[in-house]
Amino acid sequence: MPLDELRIYTVTPQGLEEYLRLAQDVAVPIRGDAYGSLLGFWTGEIGSVCRVFNLWRHTDLATRQQARAGLDRLDAWRNDYVACVHPLMDEQEIRFMSPVAPLRPPAGEVSAYEFRLIRTKVGKAAEIAARLRDEPPDDDPAMSLAVWTTFAGRLNEVVQLSAYPDLDRRIRSGGWRDFYNRHGASIARTESSLVAACPHSPLR
């Protein structure tokens, strides 16, 4: 089973534009597919402004560790990217995730993506992830692109990625309130971020 890695960076407000430029023009060309496969790259628009979400896939944890070690040996990576972006960042988060509903492309045009981070009560992540997979809360089940559980970084967490053809469709969706009413006893808290795909994001 592949390892999916979600990296969330909080960037200084004045540094966001420069960070995105460095990511697109420096980091992505250096990495290519030799150091993990980039699945998607988004910026927060509502709920997580000045945050960047990037999603990578690795064969397994050992391959991921080898890829990071290989990057650290590259002068261009250290000098042209890392040294430039670290001053622009306030915080970094990493989640290693196992797919419960594997990532699939959107069915049509996308106006906005949404990351939903659901912190569950201890030991309840698998249950909530299965509920999201089997009983999608959105009015159109096709809006849910993937569901994961975390196994490192933050534990007892479920991550869902959804895509919406327009924001009105997202706002009108009442299924989440029903989902929380039915399964809220297993959920500690939820964080939701509407995000926009960057030009260099494979998932658009």
Side-chain angles (χ1 to χ4, degrees), residues 1-4 57 97-103 133 146-149 151:
M1 181 179 296
L3 163 70
D4 290 343
R57 175 161 292 168
M97 310 185 301
S98 299
V100 176
L103 180 66
R133 179 194 62 204
V147 177
W148 299 268
T149 55
F151 67 87

Side-chain angles (χ1 to χ4, degrees), residues 62-112:
T63 303
R64 187 266 179 193
Q65 300 298 74
Q66 292 169 5
R68 297 302 302 186
L71 277 173
D72 290 341
R73 290 192 292 268
L74 296 178
D75 289 341
W77 178 258
R78 295 195 312 272
N79 300 329
D80 299 339
Y81 178 67
V82 173
C84 297
V85 297
H86 278 186
L88 307 176
M89 293 181 179
D90 283 335
E91 186 177 355
Q92 293 177 297
E93 302 174 32
I94 296 177
R95 290 165 172 82
F96 294 150
M97 310 185 301
S98 299
V100 176
L103 180 66
R104 58 181 180 78
E109 292 293 322
V110 176
S111 175

Side-chain angles (χ1 to χ4, degrees), residues 82 159 176 183:
V82 173
V159 178
W176 278 99
H183 307 298

Side-chain angles (χ1 to χ4, degrees), residues 91-195:
E91 186 177 355
Q92 293 177 297
E93 302 174 32
I94 296 177
R95 290 165 172 82
F96 294 150
M97 310 185 301
S98 299
V100 176
L103 180 66
R104 58 181 180 78
E109 292 293 322
V110 176
S111 175
Y113 289 90
E114 180 178 28
F115 273 103
R116 198 176 292 264
L117 310 177
I118 303 173
R119 181 70 63 87
T120 71
K121 300 296 178 62
V122 174
K124 296 296 185 179
E127 172 192 325
I128 293 300
R131 296 290 187 186
L132 283 177
R133 179 194 62 204
D134 299 335
E135 308 168 20
D138 286 304
D139 296 338
D140 182 355
M143 294 178 184
S144 180
L145 302 184
V147 177
W148 299 268
T149 55
T150 58
F151 67 87
R154 287 191 174 180
L155 302 180
N156 298 298
E157 191 172 68
V158 176
V159 178
Q160 185 194 37
L161 176 63
S162 301
Y164 299 96
D166 59 75
L167 288 179
D168 285 343
R169 189 75 172 273
R170 164 63 178 84
I171 294 170
R172 292 197 306 268
S173 179
W176 278 99
R177 286 189 291 273
D178 293 336
F179 184 85
Y180 291 139
N181 285 335
R182 293 196 307 272
H183 307 298
S186 298
I187 296 173
R189 62 181 180 272
T190 300
E191 176 185 337
S192 173
S193 300
L194 287 172
V195 297

